Amino acid sequence: MSTRTGRATQAARMLTAADFRVDLDPTLDTDRIGVAESANQALAALNARLAEVDEPHEIATEVRAFFDPDHGALNQVASVLSAVSEHAQAAIGSFSENDPGYRLWHQVEAASEVLCDLRDELAAVPDTLHTLTTGQGLALYEAARAQSPSLTAAPAAGRTVSPSPATPAAPAPSAAPDRGRTR
């Protein structure tokens, strides 16, 4: 934000407080620009902190607010897309796929749904990451093995399978139903 822009906004606030009506040029209105810039700056700062973190449990602490299902960044972005979707829905002239308003609404609505699914699916990331890094990881691994059909199936005749605790299997894919998305 430039000094000129900051001064204009500050002057407008002072005049408004003194009961003057002020119509500030939108290019000088730092309150409107500030929200998006502060969100972008917060995400950039989180990325910078994560790049400097050496301990995995610190990462869990750093990303807890990001993954919060009610107030986290994923939830907020999904809310923004939902609001844009509502406005785009008002621009629909017809429900034809050739209508640009319909296409925009459909794209934004689908993106909002995908982010909501991701938000729900990833809400436990900080807790799971913390568990994995605090020595409880082996117990979590064994519990996952006990629930995995491919790992608990009886071995072929005469063969024994010995799990290696040093190389845990990759986590199973999400059991969330596919909602017709293509990737």
Side-chain angles (χ1 to χ4, degrees), residues 33-175:
I33 297 170
V35 172
E37 283 181 358
S38 66
N40 292 340
Q41 289 170 351
L43 288 172
L46 175 61
N47 281 329
R49 285 192 313 272
L50 290 174
E52 295 174 358
V53 171
D54 291 331
E55 297 295 324
H57 68 277
E58 292 177 27
I59 292 174
T61 301
E62 288 289 336
V63 298
R64 186 166 302 283
F66 179 84
F67 287 108
D68 182 282
D70 297 319
H71 306 290
L74 287 177
N75 186 55
Q76 298 305 319
V77 173
S79 294
V80 167
L81 287 175
S82 179
V84 171
S85 171
E86 288 177 21
H87 289 286
Q89 190 174 20
I92 295 175
S94 70
F95 287 98
S96 164
E97 289 186 13
N98 295 328
D99 181 348
Y102 175 77
R103 284 195 319 260
L104 174 66
W105 168 75
H106 183 55
Q107 288 174 323
V108 175
E109 183 66 21
S112 175
E113 289 175 10
V114 168
L115 279 177
C116 286
D117 290 346
L118 285 173
R119 175 202 60 207
D120 296 343
E121 196 169 310
L122 298 173
V125 164
D127 293 333
T128 304
L129 187 59
H130 183 72
T131 300
L132 290 172
T133 61
T134 59
Q136 298 172 2
L138 188 56
L140 184 64
Y141 171 68
E142 290 303 323
R145 276 188 59 75
Q147 294 178 1
S148 173
S150 65
L151 296 175
T152 57
R159 291 195 302 170
T160 54
V161 177
S162 171
S164 169
T167 57
S174 170

